[in-house]
Amino acid sequence: MTENFRINLTPDDVPKNWYNILADLPLELPKPKNSEGKDQISDLQKVFTKTALEQEFATERNIKIPNEVRELYMQMGRPSPLVRARRLEEKLNTPAKIYFKREDTSPTGSHKLNSAIPQVYFAKQEGVENLTTETGAGQWGTALSLAGSLLDVDITVYMVKVSFNQKPDRKNIMNIYDGNVFASPSENTKIGREILAKTPDHPGSLGVAISEAMEEALEKDNVKYSLGSVLNHVMLHQTVIGQEIKTQLEIAEEEPDVMVACAGGGSNLAGSLFPFIKDKIDGNSDTEFIAVEPSACPTLTEGNYEYDFGDTNGFTPMLKMFTLGHDFVAPSVHAGGLRYHGMSPIVSLLVKENIINPTTAQQRDAFNAGMTFAKCEGVLPAPETTHAIKAGIDEAIKAKQTGEEKTIVVNFSGHGMLDLKGYAKFIDGSMKNC
Amino acid sequence: MTENFRINLTPDDVPKNWYNILADLPLELPKPKNSEGKDQISDLQKVFTKTALEQEFATERNIKIPNEVRELYMQMGRPSPLVRARRLEEKLNTPAKIYFKREDTSPTGSHKLNSAIPQVYFAKQEGVENLTTETGAGQWGTALSLAGSLLDVDITVYMVKVSFNQKPDRKNIMNIYDGNVFASPSENTKIGREILAKTPDHPGSLGVAISEAMEEALEKDNVKYSLGSVLNHVMLHQTVIGQEIKTQLEIAEEEPDVMVACAGGGSNLAGSLFPFIKDKIDGNSDTEFIAVEPSACPTLTEGNYEYDFGDTNGFTPMLKMFTLGHDFVAPSVHAGGLRYHGMSPIVSLLVKENIINPTTAQQRDAFNAGMTFAKCEGVLPAPETTHAIKAGIDEAIKAKQTGEEKTIVVNFSGHGMLDLKGYAKFIDGSMKNC
């Protein structure tokens, strides 16, 4: 009865620094570069805040979290609990211990607030009055809207039109936090108007939404652009997750044998795993790190490691990363947050160097794992998170076969309360396995 | 920085007993009675589990929580945190301290699981294979479905047809937890078929849904009926909330001056306040207890204290309680959980004796308070919970006017992630103030 299967930390345990893995990579990270005849890198300097760009290329191992940001982390519920999935272990009849890190306990239901708060804070410090961004599934737009509301900075979100129409609740929650949400393509921008003139019923895409959000930041004073994944400074902010897991595993007197996270642009994966990776590089740990992507968008498992654009339209500089090609269009799986053609350059390098192992899960198999998890542990995972759970369950089953008492840590990146229609399709059998 | 504004307890701090206020009431609670020519009390014995009925009339002050139930409380996230709303206090510029008890951290998003788990556990102990219930807004049906899934008991939920059609996500989440959900009136029962024969497009009502769920339990072997509010044993189970608050306030070295909860059937109110009431009855505390109901359904503030039926159709025994009349139809406010004509007989007695003070909030004012709260504290309250927040904010404003450093405790009964359409109507101005 008294075994500690939920490890809560106190607000004082929120990390005081972000961990910058750039200080510890086995190879130098290839720099972004301009595409021929364009000067996209100097455009970056116009659209991003100074602090975001400084952090993008910073080399110190530890970067101090400003007091006000740390305080907001606490007030928004950090540290998040680490919980042992004892009922799931029993159901699987495995000798493995499965822990899950509950990033769903954030008010917006995912890990995204970890980067939204500092990004808005730095913008505010620099006198920026408005931040623009794009959102697909809506998690990032929701987190940035709340951060804007907490710090009194206006937020403009370009939401892919097809998602905007399909997911009114995502727009509603952004509006509650005072986010201004536009279906993209919109009449607000030159590129939006051009697209609508040619194709009035254009369904939108993440690429178009990025272009609209960046155009606003390029053209207007006191407006900057903010991105919720892929870039180094976003990975940096997310490392509060993994640092907390470290403290929690020490309290539980556990060493992780396997750590699992899903991967779209890489932010929850980086956040949970990076603080554990130096020990592996240094030969002091043999933890296995697993990145799970949807079979429908197999960037790390089937993509090429090469320079490519971050967006569909070639508006951004080129990044060295695993990519399916910037014109790749993933099937419309429910895990909208994992439908990205590219991947964080740092995560890509670590996969290339065999430090992180990628794997894939098919949609129905992932939802099936999510259902099993919810019925055992109560909490309903987001479609993205079900991918990590599927791989975690597979590892626990392997441990049963070999009889090993492995310790498996799964990053539970978000809850599925706004994704119930996806689950309904799984249950009524109309969801495709792809 | 180091001030403890979130008080987490460990799983070991989950109470070991439920607190039975029947041992401490200032007057004897009037017993249920049969209506003329009917024998509804012996029907109760057929439809409820033995343990539920024993607890309904138990007189011991402390009733042991079975180990398996206590363990499930822990595994589903209890104890829940008590959090100080520091940003809300700053926004209101009040000397008052506002604490909120986060019952929304349950996997189903509300306090309802506190009674669902023991009710299903006792049913299972007694060999019951199926529990039936009704649900309006859906919180109770969701919690009972999850408890059924955790303990392997089949759950049948009759959901008011108009809600069933308007809120597909509520049906979806019950299905995830294996709940069998039927739109009521249904073809499953005699009364359902009779109603449909007369009025094929009948929109349903809570009264009809109760009748269908009870009919199944009356007519079938190994089927029992379960209720999520109003009755004494449900109030009993919910007292884990207030016992935890007591421990948490001791840690924070606080005495509550005001405690607030919303009231529909009374369960979250009873759960959070009852453990504090004996001290008030004994003259050892002058905490003010506030029950907040919607102006659209003013049971405690405008109803009569008299014997009335628990359901619309007069199927249940008569209970002495505040009531607007069992044929009262409340306007369709978004706080579906507060649209009940009656009230827990114990809560009613305590209001009658001026130990709990009732007040009302209008719908738009409540949502406005909910929006303010969400923008300051991040977490989005359920429509029901916004009523408690409205009254808590009013108390904090009064404290500002008088300059008193009051300690206000609000029970945050549930989150609003499945109620975003209500918020959208508030924002676009189409919500009525009633």
Side-chain angles (χ1 to χ4, degrees):
Chain A
M1 282 290 286
T2 57
E3 195 189 352
N4 198 355
F5 57 82
R6 181 160 31 119
I7 303 144
N8 283 324
L9 302 174
T10 69
D12 269 351
D13 294 315
V14 168
K16 294 190 171 66
N17 296 289
W18 289 302
Y19 166 65
N20 180 14
I21 200 170
L22 289 177
D24 293 322
L25 288 180
L27 295 171
E28 203 184 335
L29 188 73
K31 295 267 179 296
K33 66 178 194 187
N34 292 318
S35 58
E36 225 168 295
K38 293 191 179 176
D39 191 8
Q40 294 142 312
I41 289 173
S42 62
D43 279 355
L44 278 196
Q45 285 157 358
K46 283 181 216 148
V47 301
F48 281 100
T49 63
K50 279 195 200 78
T51 318
L53 280 185
E54 273 165 34
Q55 291 183 344
E56 190 64 20
F57 302 107
T59 52
E60 320 87 282
R61 180 170 295 124
N62 292 306
I63 295 180
K64 186 177 184 304
I65 302 176
N67 287 344
E68 198 174 340
V69 170
R70 192 163 170 262
E71 184 107 354
L72 280 171
Y73 278 162
M74 296 176 192
Q75 287 172 346
M76 294 302 115
R78 298 215 73 84
S80 66
L82 183 74
V83 184
R84 184 151 162 214
R86 290 219 321 220
R87 292 178 54 90
L88 178 63
E89 293 168 15
E90 276 164 36
K91 165 113 186 158
L92 300 173
N93 191 20
T94 175
K97 296 178 194 168
I98 306 170
Y99 287 90
F100 58 113
K101 175 68 167 168
R102 288 205 47 192
E103 288 300 304
D104 66 294
T105 57
S106 147
T108 61
S110 83
H111 68 292
K112 290 292 188 188
L113 203 54
N114 299 334
S115 187
I117 289 172
Q119 288 200 44
V120 175
Y121 174 80
F122 295 128
K124 173 104 181 169
Q125 292 288 97
E126 296 176 23
V128 174
E129 288 164 5
N130 186 299
L131 273 178
T132 65
T133 198
E134 73 289 327
T135 203
Q139 285 282 19
W140 171 246
T142 307
L144 200 68
S145 296
L146 172 55
S149 163
L150 296 173
L151 287 159
D152 202 15
V153 170
D154 290 342
I155 304 296
T156 303
V157 182
Y158 288 94
M159 186 169 185
V160 177
K161 193 187 274 174
V162 60
S163 297
F164 182 94
N165 291 332
Q166 276 170 0
K167 298 188 173 190
D169 279 345
R170 272 289 169 198
K171 173 183 163 285
N172 294 341
I173 192 164
M174 289 187 261
N175 287 340
I176 288 168
Y177 296 130
D178 284 339
N180 299 301
V181 189
F182 297 100
S184 167
S186 77
E187 294 285 349
N188 297 7
T189 63
K190 211 159 45 185
I191 186 157
R193 289 187 296 271
E194 277 172 21
I195 292 170
L196 290 174
K198 273 191 228 156
T199 320
D201 59 348
H202 193 291
S205 74
L206 213 45
V208 172
I210 293 177
S211 302
E212 289 205 278
M214 286 182 85
E215 184 188 314
E216 265 214 68
L218 263 175
E219 311 259 312
K220 290 188 191 166
D221 289 339
N222 285 326
V223 177
K224 295 282 180 186
Y225 167 72
S226 168
L227 193 66
S229 193
V230 182
L231 297 180
N232 303 346
H233 65 280
V234 183
M235 308 295 128
L236 176 77
H237 301 152
Q238 292 292 350
T239 59
V240 291
I241 305 173
Q243 291 182 74
E244 288 176 12
I245 296 175
K246 265 200 152 169
T247 308
Q248 288 163 317
L249 289 176
E250 278 162 23
I251 292 170
E253 301 181 357
E254 298 278 10
E255 295 276 344
D257 296 299
V258 183
M259 296 188 75
V260 187
C262 62
S267 76
N268 94 84
L269 177 104
S272 51
L273 304 191
F274 281 9
F276 291 84
I277 280 179
K278 184 174 189 310
D279 277 351
K280 172 103 168 204
I281 293 173
D282 293 348
N284 297 326
S285 132
D286 55 3
T287 305
E288 186 182 357
F289 302 111
I290 301 177
V292 194
E293 48 187 21
S295 306
C297 190
T299 313
L300 292 167
T301 46
E302 295 183 29
N304 295 319
Y305 184 57
E306 62 192 20
Y307 272 100
D308 195 6
F309 298 109
D311 65 326
T312 314
N313 298 347
F315 202 81
T316 69
M318 299 180 84
L319 301 170
K320 184 84 179 272
M321 59 184 178
F322 277 95
T323 173
L324 294 161
H326 60 275
D327 53 359
F328 177 80
V329 179
S332 69
V333 289
H334 287 274
L338 306 182
R339 291 180 63 230
Y340 182 62
H341 70 274
M343 181 59 65
S344 148
I346 307 179
V347 170
S348 296
L349 181 76
L350 292 167
V351 167
K352 185 70 185 166
E353 293 298 307
N354 300 313
I355 294 165
I356 295 174
N357 302 323
T359 185
T360 57
Q362 292 205 306
Q363 176 163 250
R364 283 191 62 85
D365 299 339
F367 269 85
N368 190 42
M371 294 274 294
T372 301
F373 188 92
K375 285 184 225 183
C376 291
E377 301 297 327
V379 205
L380 184 72
E384 292 80 4
T385 312
T386 62
H387 291 74
I389 288 167
K390 167 71 170 72
I393 288 176
D394 286 350
E395 289 298 315
I397 292 169
K398 268 194 238 166
K400 181 183 170 181
Q401 287 156 354
T402 61
E404 287 171 289
E405 288 181 27
K406 287 202 170 178
T407 298
I408 299 165
V409 179
V410 175
N411 194 38
F412 194 93
S413 54
H415 68 60
M417 281 287 181
L418 297 185
D419 304 286
L420 293 170
K421 281 167 195 63
Y423 278 95
K425 283 189 181 166
F426 174 81
I427 292 170
D428 74 18
S430 66
M431 175 185 284
K432 277 184 276 186
N433 213 4
C434 62
Chain B
M1 282 291 288
T2 55
E3 195 189 349
N4 199 355
F5 57 82
R6 182 159 31 118
I7 302 145
N8 284 324
L9 301 175
T10 69
D12 270 350
D13 294 314
V14 168
K16 295 190 171 62
N17 295 290
W18 290 301
Y19 166 64
N20 180 14
I21 200 169
L22 289 177
D24 293 321
L25 288 180
L27 294 172
E28 204 184 335
L29 189 72
K31 295 267 179 294
K33 66 179 194 188
N34 291 320
S35 59
E36 224 167 296
K38 292 190 180 175
D39 191 7
Q40 292 143 314
I41 289 173
S42 64
D43 279 354
L44 279 194
Q45 285 157 358
K46 281 180 217 147
V47 300
F48 281 100
T49 63
K50 278 197 200 75
T51 318
L53 280 186
E54 271 167 33
Q55 293 184 343
E56 189 64 19
F57 303 107
T59 51
E60 321 88 282
R61 180 170 294 123
N62 293 305
I63 295 179
K64 187 177 184 302
I65 302 176
N67 287 344
E68 198 173 341
V69 170
R70 192 163 170 262
E71 183 108 353
L72 279 171
Y73 278 163
M74 296 176 192
Q75 286 171 348
M76 293 302 116
R78 297 213 74 83
S80 66
L82 184 73
V83 184
R84 182 148 164 220
R86 290 220 321 220
R87 293 177 53 89
L88 179 63
E89 293 168 17
E90 277 164 35
K91 165 115 185 157
L92 299 173
N93 190 21
T94 176
K97 295 178 195 168
I98 306 170
Y99 287 89
F100 59 112
K101 175 67 168 171
R102 289 204 47 192
E103 288 300 303
D104 66 294
T105 57
S106 146
T108 61
S110 84
H111 67 291
K112 289 292 189 190
L113 204 54
N114 299 333
S115 188
I117 289 171
Q119 288 201 44
V120 175
Y121 174 79
F122 295 128
K124 174 106 182 166
Q125 292 288 98
E126 295 175 24
V128 174
E129 288 164 6
N130 186 301
L131 274 178
T132 65
T133 197
E134 73 289 327
T135 203
Q139 286 282 18
W140 172 247
T142 307
L144 200 69
S145 296
L146 172 54
S149 163
L150 296 173
L151 287 158
D152 203 16
V153 171
D154 290 341
I155 303 296
T156 303
V157 182
Y158 288 93
M159 187 171 185
V160 178
K161 193 187 272 174
V162 60
S163 299
F164 182 94
N165 291 332
Q166 277 170 358
K167 300 188 171 188
D169 279 344
R170 272 290 167 198
K171 173 182 163 284
N172 293 342
I173 193 164
M174 289 187 262
N175 286 342
I176 288 168
Y177 297 129
D178 284 341
N180 299 302
V181 189
F182 297 100
S184 165
S186 76
E187 294 285 350
N188 296 7
T189 63
K190 209 161 42 184
I191 185 157
R193 289 187 294 270
E194 276 171 22
I195 291 169
L196 289 174
K198 274 191 226 156
T199 321
D201 57 351
H202 194 289
S205 73
L206 212 46
V208 172
I210 293 177
S211 302
E212 289 205 277
M214 286 181 84
E215 183 187 313
E216 265 213 68
L218 263 175
E219 310 261 312
K220 290 187 193 165
D221 289 339
N222 283 328
V223 178
K224 295 282 180 184
Y225 168 72
S226 168
L227 193 65
S229 194
V230 182
L231 296 180
N232 304 346
H233 65 281
V234 184
M235 308 294 128
L236 175 78
H237 301 151
Q238 292 292 351
T239 59
V240 291
I241 305 173
Q243 292 182 75
E244 288 176 10
I245 297 176
K246 264 201 153 168
T247 308
Q248 288 164 316
L249 289 176
E250 278 163 21
I251 291 171
E253 300 181 359
E254 300 276 11
E255 295 276 345
D257 295 300
V258 183
M259 297 189 73
V260 187
C262 62
S267 76
N268 94 86
L269 177 104
S272 50
L273 305 191
F274 282 7
F276 291 83
I277 280 179
K278 182 173 189 311
D279 278 350
K280 172 106 166 203
I281 294 173
D282 293 348
N284 296 325
S285 131
D286 55 2
T287 305
E288 187 184 356
F289 301 111
I290 301 177
V292 194
E293 48 186 21
S295 306
C297 191
T299 313
L300 292 168
T301 46
E302 295 184 28
N304 296 317
Y305 185 57
E306 62 191 20
Y307 272 100
D308 195 8
F309 298 109
D311 65 326
T312 312
N313 297 348
F315 203 81
T316 70
M318 299 182 85
L319 302 170
K320 183 84 178 273
M321 61 183 176
F322 277 96
T323 173
L324 294 161
H326 60 275
D327 53 358
F328 176 81
V329 180
S332 69
V333 289
H334 286 275
L338 305 183
R339 290 180 65 228
Y340 182 62
H341 71 274
M343 180 59 65
S344 147
I346 306 179
V347 170
S348 295
L349 181 75
L350 292 167
V351 168
K352 185 69 186 166
E353 294 297 307
N354 300 312
I355 293 165
I356 295 175
N357 303 323
T359 185
T360 57
Q362 291 206 306
Q363 175 162 249
R364 282 192 64 84
D365 300 339
F367 269 84
N368 191 42
M371 293 276 292
T372 302
F373 188 92
K375 285 185 223 185
C376 291
E377 302 297 328
V379 204
L380 185 72
E384 292 80 4
T385 312
T386 62
H387 291 73
I389 288 167
K390 168 71 170 69
I393 289 176
D394 286 350
E395 290 297 314
I397 292 170
K398 268 194 237 165
K400 182 184 168 181
Q401 287 157 354
T402 59
E404 288 170 289
E405 289 182 25
K406 287 200 169 177
T407 298
I408 299 165
V409 179
V410 175
N411 194 37
F412 195 93
S413 54
H415 68 60
M417 281 287 181
L418 297 185
D419 304 285
L420 293 170
K421 281 168 194 62
Y423 278 95
K425 284 189 181 167
F426 174 80
I427 292 170
D428 75 17
S430 66
M431 177 186 283
K432 279 185 274 185
N433 211 6
C434 61

